[in-house]
Amino acid sequence: MNRRQTTAVIVGNVRIGGDAPVVVQSMTNTDTADVKATVKQVFELARAGSELVRITVNNEDAAGAVARIREQLDQTGCTVPLIGDFHFNGHRLLEKYPACARALAKYRINPGNVGRGSKRDTQFAQMVEFACRYDKPVRIGVNWGSLDQSVLARLLDENAKLPVPRELAEVMREAVITSALESAERATALGLATDRIVLSCKMSGVQELIAVYQSLSQRCDYALHLGLTEAGMGSKGIVASTAALAILLQQGIGDTIRISLTPEPGADRILEVIIAQEILQTLGIRAFTPMVISCPGCGRTTSDYFQKLAQQIQSHLRHKMPEWKRHYSGVEDMNVAVMGCVVNGPGESKNANIGISLPGTGEVPVAPVYEDGVKTVTLKGDHIADEFQEIVETYVRTHYGVQPG
Ligand code: SF4
């Protein structure tokens, strides 16, 4: 698929847009003022593969903590750029905490939440001036839940005067896009270069999001940040985000993505990174981690042994990937098949780089392993899982180029 050409924006050590690969980003949910907890979560998100991490900067304690968070991450060798998420008081926080302004690699400005009434334009201008002063890019991030009401009111007024007024939903979509484009225009008039601006127009409805981004991408060359806002929890959030982003990415729209999942209580925040990576990888846009191909199981797999093996191998591959990435070039493209019985097992195993076909109910209790289409060994006994994991390790060591360091 052809990526739509946008203006590249440099954010710390990461490039968004232009011919750069689609960038995965995430956002913390710790209290930013809690330096220890935030450093830990940023580190985990970065280790999982988040290439940018956004943190909320909502008050003085948070702003005062940002430079320390940056320092502590640097000390651990974690160089992931931090993005500051500002609303309402960003202009004051950037003024009072210059170390925060310097430590952040990008500022997110929401035109609908930058200030109320007459303060809106002044405070937006102040935010842009700080971006110019500290040479930082910004994301002008419109969210339909906090849409600038003055833009909406103006467009509704204009719509009411049309001979055939457009539907309300259409006017809403237009207001979201207009808010982003007019804010970008104002920012450039204030001196911010176009290659310092990323735009987003987040909606919570899948069809709305697709319609907005299709239109936005036709009307500007800014790098676009893609995400379904308030996607929801669990499978609903994953499916809705995937449905919306897959269609847009397939059309070449989107330079960086974030999955806005509501975490299940106690769930790991890195899930949003994994989903973003898997959307890109299953679409064939980027590869991050070797993929496990596994069958759904059926009446031929009456024990959960095969599910456990598929899960163990997927977790092992993901766990090893940060280390493998440094040493084994191309390992992220590897496919591993874990199949439940001989019906489709050998076929899928032969097509994968490495595959195992477990014995189904009533079959001889042996598990043939295929490497590059050839049966190399048949495992049996109580240690099939560990032995297969070791075979995968050896395959990685012997098939992928060793990189320095
Ligand atoms: S490969 Fe075997 S166990 Fe898996 S779904 Fe097909 S028939 Fe069932």
Side-chain angles (χ1 to χ4, degrees), residues 7-11 16-17 25 52 106-109 137-142 180 184 192-201 216 222-226 255-256:
T7 306
V9 177
I10 306 291
V11 182
I16 299 176
Q25 60 175 286
L52 300 167
K106 179 156 71 97
Y107 309 152
R108 184 272 172 111
I109 309 173
V138 302
R139 169 161 67 99
I140 295 173
V142 177
L192 197 64
T194 51
D195 65 358
R196 303 304 266 162
I197 298 173
V198 177
L199 290 189
S200 67
C201 288
L216 182 65
Y222 292 110
L224 298 182
H225 166 126
L226 222 59
D255 300 293
T256 176

Side-chain angles (χ1 to χ4, degrees), residues 250-374:
Q250 183 70 14
Q251 293 172 356
I253 299 169
D255 300 293
T256 176
I257 64 172
R258 189 237 163 167
I259 306 300
S260 302
L261 272 190
T262 308
E264 310 261 0
D268 202 322
R269 191 68 169 176
I270 66 166
L271 185 61
E272 67 174 64
V273 178
I274 293 171
I275 293 162
Q277 290 180 331
E278 289 184 349
I279 291 173
L280 294 173
Q281 186 152 352
T282 51
L283 283 169
I285 293 174
R286 281 187 76 182
F288 298 91
T289 299
M291 298 290 269
V292 172
I293 299 151
S294 54
C295 74
C298 66
R300 288 173 168 268
T301 51
T302 45
S303 85
D304 61 1
Y305 185 77
F306 130 81
Q307 288 126 288
K308 284 181 178 157
L309 178 63
Q311 187 181 44
Q312 178 181 329
I313 294 295
Q314 181 70 76
S315 309
H316 181 71
L317 296 174
R318 192 165 286 287
H319 175 74
K320 294 293 283 190
M321 201 49 209
E323 179 199 328
W324 285 349
K325 202 165 55 178
R326 290 200 303 275
H327 300 293
Y328 302 111
S329 170
V331 65
E332 63 276 10
D333 291 316
M334 181 173 76
N335 286 318
V336 180
V338 178
M339 300 293 289
C341 82
V342 292
V343 171
N344 292 323
E348 282 291 358
S349 295
K350 282 182 198 165
N351 282 326
N353 294 97
I354 184 163
I356 186 167
S357 178
L358 290 165
T361 310
E363 292 176 10
V364 182
V366 294
V369 173
Y370 291 79
E371 295 179 52
D372 298 325
V374 177

